[in-house]
Amino acid sequence: MVLRRLILAAACLAQPVAVVPAGAIEPPGAAAMVQDAIEGYIRPAYASFASTAGVLGGAVDALCREPSPTHLGMARSAFGAIVDAWSRVELVRFGPVMDDNRLERILYWPDRRSTGLKQVQAILADRDAGAVVPESLAGKSVAVQGLGALEFVLFGTGSDDLATAAGFRCAYGAAISANLGSIAARLDTAWSTGEAAAGLWAAPGPDNPLYRDGGEALGELLDTMIHGLELVRDVRIDGFMGDAASGDKPKQALFWRSEETIAALRGNLASIAGLLEASDMTASLPEDRRWIVGSARFELANADRALSGLEGLPIGDILADPDRRARLDYARLVTTSLSDVIGRQLSGEFGLTVGFSSLDGD
């Protein structure tokens, strides 16, 4: 199951990675590490996402009822909060979030051909009545019902008019917010009650159709971190940052309009740190090997420190400033060393092996 899903993911990331049990011996404490990650990080993170989605819905509704600079500012602030909350759990790309295209409905990305943007602009230009009803919006293209679409509504061309007149644009934003709130609530319920795949991950065993033992379940957790690092580096940062400044494309960055690009990257990296802490992998390692988790913590802290202070700045300004650009480039380099620490050294200590990947420079 794990390998099959990662093969599919590899088609998107171009640099696949897979963590699989190397032998028949189950890593000691594997199931407990997974359970701790669920209870200590994943469930709270989805609960926070659902909570911020509710706040967002209220803020956009208030803007639509009473357009004003203050209410527009509150709606934009709520958008930043939900981006942060989502970024802290979006690397968990399996389980309930894969049902009903929820992952893509929350965030359709990358959109290098601007397909989603064109669809959103068409809805606004045509005043598509079906887009302002949350139930019918949920049946439309995934590109027009999530965070990317809402960012254009609140921050894109013409959005400042929301401060004086709500109209169709605001109604569309309210429908997107309600749709996000519905998806977030279902994800929160699924993880908190242990529905389907969420419950199966927490209870590996011979009769479990997805995870036959703790080794497979632990492999899923490590996959989440390794795959997440590759997504941050290969899709998010490399998507807009060239090897040299001449190759930079700031408008290819996720959330460049709302200036939430760096905040989202910090949230992604914070989620890996959170999973490491919650799963308490240190306790399951021999004393003389616990430095591996410490090394991962050290690298994650370095990356976060490099990005600290850059959030809220236009990504174009960051890339145009050599010192700030160097800090972002440093964070990119750190993700490579983290891939080695978690993907090779930590996984190896638990008797898991990493398949072919960028870790080998292939």
Side-chain angles (χ1 to χ4, degrees):
M1 175 63 186
V2 173
L3 181 60
R4 184 169 66 252
R5 181 164 48 253
L6 287 169
I7 289 173
L8 292 173
C12 299
L13 294 179
Q15 291 182 322
V17 57
V19 179
V20 295
I25 300 176
E26 182 174 324
M33 284 184 270
V34 170
Q35 187 66 47
D36 287 346
I38 293 171
E39 294 181 1
Y41 188 81
I42 295 175
R43 284 177 178 166
Y46 272 116
S48 175
F49 177 53
S51 175
T52 54
V55 173
L56 172 70
V60 176
D61 285 347
L63 174 65
C64 295
R65 287 194 305 271
E66 188 179 344
S68 70
T70 297
H71 282 155
L72 178 57
M74 293 173 67
R76 286 173 169 172
S77 178
F79 179 83
I82 197 172
V83 165
D84 180 69
W86 171 242
S87 299
R88 290 171 185 271
V89 75
E90 73 163 317
L91 299 186
V92 182
R93 303 168 82 84
F94 66 93
V97 79
M98 301 305 293
D99 296 340
D100 301 325
N101 297 317
R102 288 169 178 161
L103 183 67
E104 294 79 10
R105 290 168 62 201
I106 294 170
L107 178 60
Y108 175 74
W109 188 266
D111 183 19
R112 294 191 175 92
R113 295 181 182 275
S114 298
T115 303
L117 174 61
K118 292 173 184 174
Q119 293 177 359
V120 170
Q121 290 172 325
I123 284 175
L124 292 172
D126 298 341
R127 295 179 177 270
D128 181 351
V132 299
V133 179
E135 292 75 15
S136 58
L137 177 65
K140 291 184 176 293
S141 164
V142 296
V144 303
Q145 53 178 295
L147 293 172
L150 186 58
E151 185 193 36
F152 188 82
V153 168
L154 293 176
F155 298 88
T157 303
S159 61
D160 287 345
D161 293 345
L162 289 170
T164 55
F168 178 85
R169 187 179 189 121
C170 201
Y172 177 37
I176 296 172
S177 301
N179 183 55
L180 284 168
S182 175
I183 296 171
R186 291 176 183 176
L187 288 171
D188 182 26
T189 298
W191 278 101
S192 62
T193 60
E195 287 180 6
L200 291 172
W201 191 38
D207 298 327
N208 187 316
L210 298 182
Y211 308 99
R212 292 167 297 179
D213 55 42
E216 290 190 352
L218 181 60
E220 186 80 88
L221 177 58
L222 289 163
D223 282 339
T224 296
M225 291 186 270
I226 300 165
H227 193 192
L229 287 166
E230 293 206 345
L231 185 146
V232 168
R233 180 181 60 248
D234 300 341
V235 179
R236 295 290 160 81
I237 300 179
D238 284 356
F240 67 86
M241 188 178 188
D243 292 334
S246 59
D248 292 343
K249 300 176 181 177
K251 291 190 176 181
Q252 291 291 329
L254 177 62
F255 299 131
W256 69 268
R257 289 184 177 85
S258 57
E259 301 174 354
E260 295 289 344
T261 303
I262 299 298
L265 291 174
R266 291 186 75 188
N268 288 160
L269 294 175
S271 71
I272 295 173
L275 289 170
L276 267 179
E277 293 304 317
S279 58
D280 194 18
M281 292 186 177
T282 303
S284 296
L285 290 172
E287 191 169 346
D288 64 345
R289 307 301 290 171
R290 292 178 179 176
W291 62 267
I292 297 174
V293 175
S295 179
R297 289 186 185 128
F298 178 77
E299 295 283 18
L300 285 163
N302 282 342
D304 187 67
R305 193 159 36 246
L307 296 175
S308 177
L310 300 182
E311 65 269 39
L313 297 176
I315 193 64
D317 291 357
I318 293 172
L319 293 172
D321 183 308
D323 290 338
R324 288 170 172 164
R325 189 181 187 282
R327 289 164 61 185
L328 181 56
D329 195 31
Y330 174 76
R332 174 167 61 176
L333 289 173
V334 168
T335 61
T336 299
S337 61
L338 276 166
S339 292
D340 182 74
V341 171
I342 297 174
R344 193 193 304 275
Q345 299 180 62
L346 185 56
S347 297
E349 289 300 321
F350 292 125
L352 304 173
T353 59
V354 179
F356 68 100
S357 75
S358 59
L359 299 179
D360 301 320
D362 293 336

